[in-house]
Amino acid sequence: MRRRIATAAGLGLALLLGSCGLLSPSGDPHRTAPHRASSLPAARPVPAGRGSRAAADFNGDGHPDLVLDSLLAPARGRDDDPGIGILYGSAHGLAPATRELLTPARNAARTGPAVPAAFDAETVCDLDRDGFSDLVVTTDPPYDGVGRPPVPVQLLFGSPRGLGAARAVQLRIPDRARFGNEWPGQPVCGDFDGDGADDLAVTASGPRISYLKGPFTRTGAPAAAGAPLPVPGTALAAPGPLAASADIDHDGADDLLVRSAAPGRRARSRLALGGPKGPLTAGPAAYPPGYATAFGRFAGAGRGVTSVTADTGGELSIGGRPGRIRADTGQVPTLAAADVDHDGHPDLVIGGTRPALLSGTAAGLSATARRLPVPRLPGAGRPYSTVLALTDFDGDHRADLVLFTRRGRTHDRVTVLAGGPSGLTARPVLSFTTADFTAS
């Protein structure tokens, strides 16, 4: 169970279900950038939308948006969390001028007079069913250590103006839905009962979750919540990037990936299968030990959905069979799966010190890893690249990749590689540092 105080953790048919924090690629959100002016164009207002069914669309204009956590703090800045960056989408892809910086002071809910020092993005879904995606964050409410801790999860509701004008509300978990005295955390979105409304699952003490049935009110209250549900593990996997859980067994309800160890640790995982009463039934099979698991038609045409689990160095287990592919990506991997060339077969991206693309084919996932370009950053040693998103930002039916590459506490780079008929482009179509969000 995680309590976040001053650290940030975070389809084809495929769904990324990563073990690391979805939107928080660094363990230190308070890195300080060298003093500099922003290289991004002058910010402009967020275009107003009318609502859409697109995933991660905070202003409802039909184009997916990007969430950036673990921003570089401004030079000589305070030690508080510098905030969360939002880059809005357009018909031509991500629009660097259409951006917002969400900060604890402006956007977090206060606990009494206290403003949260931590403000960490967790997951995205439309909790109130209004056609505008909502952002789920975790904070650090004050706690004296006596009795049951407060709920650290907050909700930022989308609107035609996006998220910047919003003030978060605290997630309301009824007492009957809580268990033990651990901090609720690791929120995961999904329609776990198949009724068409997004629900939330958060950890309770032990192998239990608080299952909160949607839709949610603008005060943060679920439509219903019962006693905590037992699940086959103690940690929830964050759905990956900017995606909610998916229906793996095709019964009309989303399924929840549950791990046997905290996010960021190597662990076995297993599904808690959704159904009319939520994610209550344990799936029949456990997945091999690893750091992230994705699901898709990776075994070839006509063979149904299977799993891919990434272990140290990007060693992949396909369909539960260990070590089928060695991608040699280095360090703790992140995964994302989608169709980057629009050939009908999901492709797989693995993050690490040597990020790679494995192409999907009619015969299954290719065993040949194509190395992805990594930006040069000052310093020695290989920088580490995290997969932030693999989704179609420009509407050409080919998924685009967003990589976050960092070295140390002072340098990072976000690069966008566009999908195309031959796969991902060799040169980024967009490149910037997260310091651009906080530069004066």
Side-chain angles (χ1 to χ4, degrees), residues 266-269 286-293 307 309 311 317-322:
R266 185 175 184 269
R268 289 187 177 274
S269 57
Y287 303 109
Y291 292 91
T293 297
S307 63
T309 298
D311 206 341
S317 300
I318 301 176
R321 290 172 289 181

Side-chain angles (χ1 to χ4, degrees), residues 1-5 9-10 19-22 120-123 136-141 148-155 170-173 177-189 192 199-212 231 233-239 256-259 261-263:
M1 173 60 230
R2 294 178 293 180
R3 182 188 175 190
R4 298 195 173 186
I5 300 210
S19 65
C20 299
L22 156 64
D120 302 322
E122 293 285 352
T123 189
V136 182
V137 302
T138 51
T139 62
D140 60 339
R148 180 169 285 174
V151 176
V153 182
Q154 297 187 5
L155 312 177
Q170 186 181 51
L171 175 66
R172 295 166 62 181
I173 304 179
R178 297 191 65 177
F179 179 83
N181 289 329
E182 292 188 16
W183 289 83
Q186 302 170 37
V188 176
C189 288
F192 300 117
D199 314 310
L200 274 178
V202 299
T203 54
S205 298
R208 293 175 176 81
I209 61 167
S210 298
Y211 162 57
L212 309 175
V231 290
T234 57
L236 306 185
L256 177 66
L257 193 70
V258 183
R259 309 183 77 247

Side-chain angles (χ1 to χ4, degrees), residues 42-51 56-66 84-90 95-102 107 132-133 157-166 437:
R44 61 174 181 246
V46 176
R50 298 182 178 181
D57 181 11
F58 301 115
N59 61 330
D61 65 351
H63 309 298
D65 309 316
L66 178 68
I84 299 167
I86 306 295
L87 200 63
Y88 287 87
S90 73
T98 311
R99 64 185 186 273
E100 291 180 319
L101 176 63
L102 312 178
N107 302 101
F132 301 89
S133 297
F157 289 98
S159 74
R161 294 186 294 169
L163 292 173
F437 278 82

Side-chain angles (χ1 to χ4, degrees), residues 243-322:
S245 296
D247 182 6
I248 306 303
D249 59 358
H250 300 289
D251 67 348
D254 289 342
D255 306 308
L256 177 66
L257 193 70
V258 183
R259 309 183 77 247
S260 60
R265 294 180 178 272
R266 185 175 184 269
R268 289 187 177 274
S269 57
R270 192 172 177 180
L271 286 175
L273 300 177
K277 296 183 179 180
L280 183 60
T281 305
Y287 303 109
Y291 292 91
T293 297
F295 294 90
R297 297 186 184 277
F298 296 118
R303 297 190 182 183
V305 176
T306 189
S307 63
V308 171
T309 298
D311 206 341
T312 307
E315 181 176 291
L316 304 181
S317 300
I318 301 176
R321 290 172 289 181

Side-chain angles (χ1 to χ4, degrees), residues 21-44:
L22 156 64
L23 306 172
S24 304
S26 168
D28 183 0
H30 304 290
R31 295 166 291 145
T32 301
H35 184 68
R36 59 185 298 281
S38 175
S39 63
L40 290 175
R44 61 174 181 246

